[in-house]
Amino acid sequence: MTRNASIDPAARDVDLLPPCVILCEPQLGENIGTAARAMANFGLTDLRIVNPRDGWPNEKARAAASRADHVIDAVQVFDSVEAAVADLGHVFATTARSREVAKPVRGPDEAATIATRLGAGGTRIGYLFGRERWGLNNDEVALANEIVTLPVNPDFASLNIAQAVLVCAYEWRVKANNGALPFRLDELQNPPATKDDLVRLFEHLEGALDAVNFFRPVEKRPSIVRNLRNILQKAALTDQEVKTLRGVIAALEGRATRPRSTEPDQL
């Protein structure tokens, strides 16, 4: 089957200010790196780190980022959450637990809708993520405008930081470019088989089965033929797939394979 490998321009068309990601006191470089990789997957590049335990730069983070070097190279390090969010107009604090701080609570899809709307107007947005072991404290959550929590199993709510970043980044990307996919199969290069082609396939298959006495007892032939044709109809075969199946049937019939021409002027 021929595939159109070109990238749909709509998949790159994100004409608004993307959010930043703030990691509060991450312990492991690997978690920073995998968070950076998740960001790069969905077009986010502004990664901010507050007091990383093992300092910065961190080679383990770069290795775990899996070639998201543009995110790692642009990392900003801050001494406090207050400094990390100082230039932002709207901050979402991510947490899996109920807090004493009274704030609107959003799912990641709702937060993404708000983030894209504000980003389109030029407001800088941030997603704040807590420590691996115990997340954000109440004072840090108080700095945020809203809380984001994921629809996880409440009896097992803890996510790896990179997983949480990925979910939020994914939801933002879906809203930012209306869910445009990088590619789809091109129907012009993969046209559906015509009914005439399908009938020829049916007849070819049925003739080959007749030759080996497949239809037994003979009186059941009409119902078996209908079943076979229905199966093939459900497959929604393309023109190339029909040609492939007919080639398979011909090979099973023992027909000689057509020689491939090496001369450009020969058929």
Side-chain angles (χ1 to χ4, degrees):
M1 183 185 296
T2 303
R3 293 178 182 271
N4 184 352
S6 62
I7 301 300
D8 183 347
R12 291 194 173 100
D13 187 18
V14 179
D15 188 22
L16 52 84
L17 197 63
C20 70
V21 169
I22 308 114
L23 305 183
C24 183
E25 298 184 354
Q27 294 177 298
L28 300 176
E30 292 87 346
N31 285 339
I32 299 172
T34 50
R37 179 179 181 178
M39 290 172 61
N41 287 149
F42 298 103
L44 305 185
T45 59
D46 186 353
L47 176 57
R48 307 177 182 194
I49 307 173
V50 178
N51 292 327
R53 185 191 66 181
D54 296 335
W56 193 262
N58 187 307
E59 288 307 311
K60 290 182 178 179
R62 184 175 295 277
S66 188
R67 299 190 300 278
D69 293 328
H70 61 295
V71 179
I72 295 296
D73 290 339
V75 163
Q76 300 177 70
V77 180
F78 296 87
D79 293 329
S80 66
V81 174
E82 288 86 348
V85 303
D87 65 327
L88 303 179
H90 198 93
V91 176
F92 295 100
T94 63
T95 179
R97 300 191 304 274
S98 177
R99 298 290 182 166
E100 297 174 1
V101 184
K103 292 183 183 295
V105 178
R106 310 292 185 187
D109 54 338
E110 295 177 279
T113 298
I114 295 168
T116 52
R117 174 173 54 79
L118 293 175
T123 301
R124 300 189 65 84
I125 310 297
Y127 284 83
L128 177 62
F129 297 85
R131 303 153 188 83
E132 290 95 329
R133 295 184 64 182
W134 50 277
L136 298 167
N137 62 40
N138 286 338
D139 290 337
E140 291 159 349
V141 173
L143 293 171
N145 299 83
E146 300 180 270
I147 290 172
V148 175
T149 193
L150 276 57
V152 294
N153 175 2
D155 296 321
F156 195 79
S158 178
L159 272 74
N160 175 276
I161 291 175
Q163 294 173 327
V165 170
L166 185 141
V167 171
C168 292
Y170 164 80
E171 291 288 356
W172 175 84
R173 185 79 181 187
V174 169
K175 301 296 188 300
N177 71 353
N178 297 311
L181 299 177
F183 69 92
R184 293 184 187 274
L185 293 182
D186 189 340
E187 290 191 359
L188 294 177
Q189 296 187 24
N190 300 273
T194 66
K195 293 301 181 183
D196 182 60
D197 288 336
L198 286 173
V199 170
R200 291 175 183 273
L201 170 63
F202 299 157
E203 292 174 345
H204 188 178
L205 175 60
E206 292 152 16
L209 293 175
D210 278 328
V212 294
N213 297 316
F214 174 80
F215 298 108
R216 291 178 295 177
V218 175
E219 58 268 23
K220 288 191 176 181
R221 186 183 190 281
S223 63
I224 297 174
V225 165
R226 281 194 298 271
N227 286 337
L228 288 172
R229 291 190 176 197
N230 192 43
I231 290 168
L232 292 169
Q233 287 277 13
K234 287 179 179 178
L237 298 171
T238 66
D239 174 69
Q240 183 57 52
E241 288 169 340
V242 167
K243 291 176 181 177
T244 299
L245 287 174
R246 293 201 65 180
V248 170
I249 297 167
L252 293 174
E253 290 176 315
R255 295 187 190 180
T257 303
R258 292 181 182 177
R260 292 180 179 270
S261 172
T262 58
E263 298 296 330
D265 58 343
Q266 291 181 352
L267 296 177

